[in-house]
Amino acid sequence: MSAENAVRSQLAESCLRHVGKGRFGAFSCGVPGRAAATVSPVALEVLHRAGMPIARLAPKGWDQFLAPSGTRIDIIVALDAETAHHHPPWPWQAHSAQWAYPPLLHTLAPVANRVQEAERTLHSLRHRIELVVTLHASGKLQRDDWQGIGDAPPPVALEHAPRPGPA
């Protein structure tokens, strides 16, 4: 979730749909009245490059999920530390986790830098989401486990110099 709901949560929604292959419902949402009118072109570009779905993405406020007839959500993952204290009481027993990422929409950085930062955010989200999907498939994921998923950075692949062959 984020205030503007145009970049980070759209990346997460698309990534969970892609990695989860239909095993999870994924919905992004932001602060009602502050949701963007459209998905950010930066998010669309980054998702397109990554081969992830963009067809059903749209900014929306969380108020549509609060209605008694709304979609029941089991896990709420907040992606914006600034809005975490604004979250409403949900009408069901949803668990929550905080995966804070820096804002990507309202920044003075040049567009190229925003795209790079969005790519880094997507990479990190994908790492966390792959862990969630793997743990869920193995039956080892508990609802409370989402909070710490992927807190440690993924291992970095180091390039090794080729070993000299026999002389």
Side-chain angles (χ1 to χ4, degrees):
M1 275 189 262
S2 69
E4 74 276 345
N5 186 234
V7 185
R8 292 171 292 193
S9 57
Q10 302 297 332
L11 297 175
E13 177 181 339
S14 179
C15 188
L16 182 56
R17 284 190 180 145
H18 179 76
V19 173
K21 296 182 172 118
R23 292 176 280 181
F24 298 86
F27 308 95
S28 64
C29 62
V31 177
R34 290 176 52 196
T38 61
V39 176
S40 165
V42 169
L44 295 174
E45 179 178 341
V46 168
L47 291 168
H48 177 73
R49 286 184 191 181
M52 294 190 184
I54 59 173
R56 297 185 298 173
L57 297 178
K60 52 202 157 295
W62 62 53
D63 49 343
Q64 74 183 69
F65 296 99
L66 291 173
S69 62
T71 302
R72 186 180 185 283
I73 307 295
D74 294 316
I75 306 291
I76 310 288
V77 179
L79 301 175
D80 186 342
E82 295 174 23
T83 63
H85 61 283
H86 294 296
H87 294 176
W90 298 95
W92 54 83
Q93 289 298 108
H95 284 313
S96 63
Q98 176 76 45
W99 294 354
Y101 288 93
L104 298 172
L105 185 61
H106 301 291
T107 176
L108 298 176
V111 173
N113 292 13
R114 284 185 254 165
V115 169
Q116 288 176 340
E117 192 59 39
E119 287 174 334
R120 282 191 285 273
T121 298
L122 180 60
H123 177 74
S124 176
L125 284 166
R126 184 173 186 145
H127 171 72
R128 283 179 152 161
I129 289 169
E130 285 173 344
L131 287 169
V132 165
V133 169
T134 300
L135 289 170
H136 182 268
S138 70
K140 295 179 182 175
L141 180 69
Q142 300 298 314
R143 289 173 73 184
D144 292 332
D145 291 341
W146 285 63
Q147 181 64 38
I149 294 280
D151 281 346
V156 176
L158 300 176
E159 290 186 28
H160 297 284
R163 292 187 180 147

